[in-house]
Amino acid sequence: MESIVGKTIIITGGASGIGLGIAEALITEGANLVLTSRRGELLVEQAAQLSAKGPGSAIAIAADVRSKADVQRVAQGAIDHFGGIDGLINNSGLGVQDSIEDCPEENWDLVMDTCAKGTFLMTQAVLPTLRQQQSGHIINVASQAAKNGYANAGPYCAAKFAVLGFAAALQEEVRQHGIKVHSLCPGLVQVPKPTHSADEMAGWLQVEDMANAVLYVLKQPKRVFLENIGLYGF
């Protein structure tokens, strides 16, 4: 298995929930992290706590993944602080509870811009560095909504379907540069993480399940490429 000790990995939506859970797992394995989110104060607090745990180190860069200037600042911040970029976890996302008929245009734009455009912009920002070093990982946190339709979740389904298509096309473009592109397609994930195991909801995934899946992908030998991984509560 490959080691991620000393690798620099950007995690979007890293201030809480799934993103924070992934960050906790990666820093324990010795990775250096760039956490980004719009929640600046919480982001700084979480990065400090993660760094204190180590053995990796974490920094916080507040940003909106819908903004090209913001994501470029995140990528440059990773290079300036850690000297490079080895991986990107596209985790930022949100949904709305609207039927297609009643969905306001601004809700459609919010979901599409965060989930799909944000993934595109963030990926575009890190690709020059990954291509130059001829290695790297891009992991998208998609959803079962990327493969199945759900009532009153049209914008979210559309955005996550787009992420899978985007990732498939991207993989064909960057394969020759040693860059791997993966997407995780989880079912329901219990967020926030329950304090006690007795409070875990039956049939739901836990945040650490997502973190373990990311670690599994990152630590595969260079010769191994995995298809999109579906995760379900049992």
Side-chain angles (χ1 to χ4, degrees), residues 18 27 40 76 79 118 164 191 197:
I18 293 172
I27 207 164
Q76 189 59 51
I79 295 168
L164 287 193
V191 176
S197 59

Side-chain angles (χ1 to χ4, degrees), residues 143-158:
S143 168
Q144 282 301 306
K147 303 192 294 183
N148 302 284
Y150 298 99
N152 300 318
Y156 188 72
C157 292

Side-chain angles (χ1 to χ4, degrees), residues 53-77:
K53 293 178 182 178
S57 178
I59 63 170
I61 303 178
D64 186 337
V65 295
R66 299 172 296 174
S67 164
K68 185 170 185 176
D70 275 16
V71 300
Q72 289 178 332
R73 181 166 48 80
V74 171
Q76 189 59 51

Side-chain angles (χ1 to χ4, degrees), residues 190-215:
Q190 188 174 354
V191 176
K193 178 180 178 179
T195 305
H196 304 289
S197 59
D199 296 325
E200 293 182 2
M201 298 173 65
W204 288 57
L205 295 166
Q206 295 300 317
V207 169
E208 57 262 35
D209 302 324
M210 295 295 296
N212 288 335
V214 169
L215 277 174

Side-chain angles (χ1 to χ4, degrees), residues 14 22 39 45 58 95 114 130-131 214 217 225:
I22 293 172
R39 304 169 69 184
E45 178 183 332
T114 303
L130 301 186
R131 187 181 67 251
V214 169
V217 171
F225 179 79

Side-chain angles (χ1 to χ4, degrees), residues 17-18 33 36 50 74 76 84 90 139-140 154 168 186 203-204 208 211 219:
I18 293 172
L33 307 178
T36 185
L50 287 168
V74 171
Q76 189 59 51
N90 282 311
I139 300 178
N140 305 309
W204 288 57
E208 57 262 35
K219 297 176 74 173

Side-chain angles (χ1 to χ4, degrees), residues 140 142-147 158-170 182-185 228:
N140 305 309
S143 168
Q144 282 301 306
K147 303 192 294 183
K160 292 299 187 179
F161 265 82
V163 166
L164 287 193
F166 168 78
L170 174 65
H182 296 93
S183 297
L184 304 180
C185 297
N228 296 337

Side-chain angles (χ1 to χ4, degrees), residues 15-233:
S16 61
I18 293 172
L20 181 58
I22 293 172
E24 290 172 341
L26 297 190
I27 207 164
T28 300
E29 293 279 339
N32 294 320
L33 307 178
V34 178
L35 305 183
T36 185
S37 164
R38 290 180 295 170
R39 304 169 69 184
E41 291 186 8
L42 179 60
L43 196 68
V44 170
E45 178 183 332
Q46 299 291 19
Q49 291 180 5
L50 287 168
S51 292
K53 293 178 182 178
S57 178
I59 63 170
I61 303 178
D64 186 337
V65 295
R66 299 172 296 174
S67 164
K68 185 170 185 176
D70 275 16
V71 300
Q72 289 178 332
R73 181 166 48 80
V74 171
Q76 189 59 51
I79 295 168
D80 292 344
H81 192 87
F82 292 117
I85 301 169
D86 299 291
L88 166 66
I89 314 295
N90 282 311
N91 170 67
S92 289
L94 54 81
V96 294
Q97 293 288 321
D98 294 315
S99 68
I100 297 297
E101 183 176 2
D102 297 328
C103 182
E105 183 178 353
E106 56 268 26
N107 281 8
W108 172 272
D109 289 343
L110 174 63
V111 176
M112 291 296 292
D113 286 353
T114 303
C115 298
K117 183 180 178 181
T119 295
F120 158 68
L121 290 176
M122 197 69 244
T123 298
Q124 193 176 54
V126 305
L127 279 177
T129 301
L130 301 186
R131 187 181 67 251
Q132 183 178 22
Q133 67 194 24
Q134 294 289 294
S135 66
H137 283 85
I138 296 171
I139 300 178
N140 305 309
V141 177
S143 168
Q144 282 301 306
K147 303 192 294 183
N148 302 284
Y150 298 99
N152 300 318
Y156 188 72
C157 292
K160 292 299 187 179
F161 265 82
V163 166
L164 287 193
F166 168 78
L170 174 65
Q171 182 63 89
E172 294 306 305
E173 293 183 9
V174 301
R175 183 188 304 272
Q176 63 183 319
H177 301 297
I179 303 169
K180 295 181 179 181
V181 184
H182 296 93
S183 297
L184 304 180
C185 297
L188 295 170
V189 181
Q190 188 174 354
V191 176
K193 178 180 178 179
T195 305
H196 304 289
S197 59
D199 296 325
E200 293 182 2
M201 298 173 65
W204 288 57
L205 295 166
Q206 295 300 317
V207 169
E208 57 262 35
D209 302 324
M210 295 295 296
N212 288 335
V214 169
L215 277 174
Y216 180 73
V217 171
L218 291 175
K219 297 176 74 173
Q220 289 301 306
K222 294 184 186 300
R223 66 180 179 273
V224 176
F225 179 79
L226 302 168
E227 292 187 349
N228 296 337
I229 299 176
L231 298 88
Y232 306 87

